């Protein structure tokens, strides 16, 4: 439509302005784009929070998975273009003089652009962290504590918005999103996170409930995709556009395709359910050592170190279906490691040490 073309063309002007006048901040903006990467939720934020507060850690995974699932469905419904290919195909510029937008190694996302997954994932997980931190201070009753709570409230929400704005600017700067797409992503993420503030049932969910949720999310997404394909609407229309207009073919990554994100999230949710309902979890995280600061610090350090090793595990991409299966398994292993394997090993080590001392 004419209105959408005008919105996109104005967005291109903003991207050009950022790439021209904020070149000195390129490294910082690229870093903030990585900060907003939804995969950091599973490898950085979750290991930290789960050992500090299991309720918050569990909520974080649910918010991230459901939020990213909604992001996928919204992307399929909205058919949002990305700037780096839109400028090459639009007819609104005269004499084929399309603007030149610089691309970067992280520019060539292959899924549709609206809403921004990075902005949505960042806002929902940081919303959970900020509200969790403030829940500790809201209980303070005396006057000085109330003042401290207000100062803390202002400080944490300022940090929240600084991070969200930085992530949004970074995604626009690298020409992978239009401004309206990142704004939509931020507020959609906040809505998802707020919905889970009033969903306590996830804290007592059984393994069967995790499996049922996984099956529902997968069947709905696959059914939606196949239903539209039957009427000649290809929801993977963005992949050939990304391959055609990406400046460097090596920057195209199968890990950014819509189904790759779906499989990754379903694996993480399954791994969480498997871990929380395992005997190792009850033995370690519900045992007598679970209240010790030393136990929690060791679990955090060991979890973060172990999860970094997963980055060295490269999944073969030559066979798409094999990639999805292995991606699911790898994603499931990460929360399982944090929730059950690492705490159980730390618990066993502490118990052995205590026996030797006695």
């Amino acid at each position: 439509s004419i209105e959408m073309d005008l919105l996109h063309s104005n967005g291109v002007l903003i991207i050009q302005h950022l790439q021209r006048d904020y070149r000195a901040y390129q490294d910082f903006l690229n870093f903030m784009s990585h900060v907003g990467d939804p995969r950091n939720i599973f490898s950085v934020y979750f290991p930290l929070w789960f050992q500090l507060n299991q309720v918050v850690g569990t909520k974080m995974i649910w918010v991230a998975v459901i939020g990213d699932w909604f992001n996928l469905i919204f992307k399929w419904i909205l058919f949002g273009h990305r700037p780096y290919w839109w400028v090459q195909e639009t007819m609104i510029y005269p004499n084929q003089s399309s603007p030149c937008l610089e691309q970067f190694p992280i520019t060539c996302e292959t899924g549709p652009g609206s809403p921004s997954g990075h902005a949505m994932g960042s806002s929902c997980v940081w919303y959970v962290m900020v509200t969790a931190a403030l829940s500790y201070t809201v209980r303070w009753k005396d006057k000085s504590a109330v003042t401290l709570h207000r100062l803390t409230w202002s400080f944490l929400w300022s940090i929240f918005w600084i991070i969200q704005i930085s992530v949004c600017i970074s995604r626009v700067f690298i020409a992978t999103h239009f401004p309206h797409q990142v704004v939509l992503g931020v507020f959609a993420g906040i809505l998802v996170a707020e919905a889970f503030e009033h969903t306590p049932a996830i804290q007592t969910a059984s393994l069967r409930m995790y499996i049922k949720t996984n099956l529902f999310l997968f069947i709905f997404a696959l059914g939606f995709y196949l239903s539209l394909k039957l009427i000649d609407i290809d929801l993977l229309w963005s992949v050939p556009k990304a391959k055609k207009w990406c400046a460097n073919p090596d920057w195209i990554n199968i890990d950014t395709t819509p189904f790759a994100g779906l499989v990754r999230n379903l694996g993480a949710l399954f791994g969480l359910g498997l871990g929380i309902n395992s005997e190792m979890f009850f033995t370690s995280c519900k045992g007598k050592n679970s209240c010790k600061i030393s136990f929690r610090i060791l679990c955090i350090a060991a979890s973060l170190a172990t999860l970094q090793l997963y980055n060295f595990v490269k999944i073969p991409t030559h066979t798409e279906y094999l990639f999805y299966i292995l991606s699911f398994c790898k994603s499931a292993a990460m929360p399982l490691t944090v929730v059950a394997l690492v705490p159980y090993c730390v618990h066993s080590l502490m118990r052995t040490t205590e026996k030797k001392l006695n």
Side-chain angles (χ1 to χ4, degrees):
S1 67
I2 296 175
E3 292 81 6
M4 189 56 68
D5 283 341
L6 288 174
L7 188 63
H8 285 159
S9 61
N10 289 331
V12 168
L13 292 176
I14 294 173
I15 295 170
Q16 289 181 304
H17 168 69
L18 289 174
Q19 291 187 344
R20 181 181 65 250
D21 298 339
Y22 288 79
R23 174 65 56 193
Y25 304 100
Q26 176 181 330
D27 292 339
F28 171 75
L29 292 172
N30 286 335
F31 170 74
M32 289 309 300
S33 187
H34 286 294
V35 168
D37 192 330
R39 285 169 288 197
N40 288 331
I41 299 169
F42 309 119
S43 61
V44 179
Y45 304 136
F46 172 66
L48 286 170
W49 273 97
F50 187 80
Q51 300 304 334
L52 296 174
N53 189 315
Q54 292 171 11
V55 171
V56 177
T58 301
K59 185 194 300 181
M60 187 176 292
I61 292 290
W62 276 89
V63 166
V65 171
I66 301 301
D68 209 47
W69 183 83
F70 273 116
N71 182 263
L72 172 64
I73 301 301
F74 289 153
K75 283 180 185 292
W76 280 348
I77 292 173
L78 296 176
F79 281 80
H81 290 275
R82 292 185 185 272
Y84 76 93
W85 76 57
W86 181 82
V87 294
Q88 304 292 342
E89 298 191 343
T90 183
M91 303 300 293
I92 71 168
Y93 297 108
N95 302 323
Q96 297 181 340
S97 57
S98 58
C100 180
L101 298 182
E102 185 175 354
Q103 296 183 24
F104 303 87
I106 56 176
T107 294
C108 299
E109 300 272 352
T110 57
S114 186
S116 167
H118 280 64
M120 192 168 174
S122 176
S123 65
C124 71
V125 73
W126 277 93
Y127 188 93
V128 169
M129 290 193 288
V130 169
T131 53
L134 290 175
S135 67
Y136 290 103
T137 62
V138 76
R139 303 167 192 164
W140 300 339
K141 300 298 182 184
D142 57 273
K143 274 190 174 182
S144 60
V146 170
T147 302
L148 182 59
H149 168 71
R150 289 174 179 171
L151 290 172
T152 305
W153 187 94
S154 300
F155 173 75
L156 290 179
W157 283 118
S158 296
I159 294 295
F160 172 85
W161 284 111
I162 288 171
I163 290 173
Q164 304 321 310
I165 292 171
S166 299
V167 169
C168 289
I169 292 174
S170 73
R171 300 302 287 171
V172 174
F173 174 84
I174 64 174
T176 200
H177 284 297
F178 291 103
H180 70 277
Q181 295 173 343
V182 293
V183 172
L184 180 59
V186 168
F187 287 103
I190 291 173
L191 287 175
V192 172
E194 180 59 29
F196 275 89
E197 291 293 318
H198 312 285
T199 315
I202 60 173
Q203 302 297 336
T204 56
S206 63
L207 180 58
R208 178 176 294 183
M209 180 57 68
Y210 276 92
I211 293 173
K212 285 182 177 179
T213 303
N214 256 18
L215 288 174
F216 170 78
L217 297 177
F218 178 73
I219 291 172
F220 186 96
L222 183 62
F224 187 69
Y225 168 78
L226 293 176
S227 298
L228 291 183
K229 193 171 185 178
L230 287 175
I231 56 175
D232 292 328
I233 298 177
D234 183 14
L235 293 179
L236 299 181
W237 60 272
S238 60
V239 177
K241 288 184 181 292
K243 291 179 178 179
K244 181 179 180 180
W245 297 114
C246 185
N248 187 338
D250 293 335
W251 295 347
I252 296 289
N253 192 339
I254 190 176
D255 202 31
T256 66
T257 59
F259 279 111
L262 176 65
V263 169
R264 182 171 59 246
N265 287 305
L266 294 182
L269 188 63
F270 176 73
L272 175 66
L274 199 61
I276 282 181
N277 291 279
S278 69
E279 189 62 36
M280 287 189 291
F281 171 74
F282 286 106
T283 301
S284 55
C285 293
K286 297 296 183 181
K288 63 178 184 178
N289 283 329
S290 62
C291 296
K292 296 180 179 178
I293 299 297
S294 57
F295 172 80
R296 296 186 179 189
I297 292 175
L298 284 172
C299 285
I300 291 173
S303 295
L304 289 173
T306 305
L307 292 185
Q308 296 313 306
L309 298 178
Y310 282 98
N311 293 329
F312 295 101
V313 178
K314 301 301 180 184
I315 301 175
T317 58
H318 58 276
T319 305
E320 194 169 355
Y321 293 111
L322 178 62
F323 171 83
Y324 290 146
I325 293 171
L326 294 178
S327 180
F328 178 89
C329 294
K330 179 181 177 181
S331 298
M334 295 176 74
L336 182 62
T337 298
V338 174
V339 171
L341 296 178
V342 166
Y344 184 78
C345 291
V346 172
H347 168 77
S348 300
L349 180 64
M350 293 180 70
R351 188 174 59 181
T352 302
T353 305
E354 288 172 359
K355 285 182 179 179
K356 285 183 179 179
L357 291 176
N358 293 333

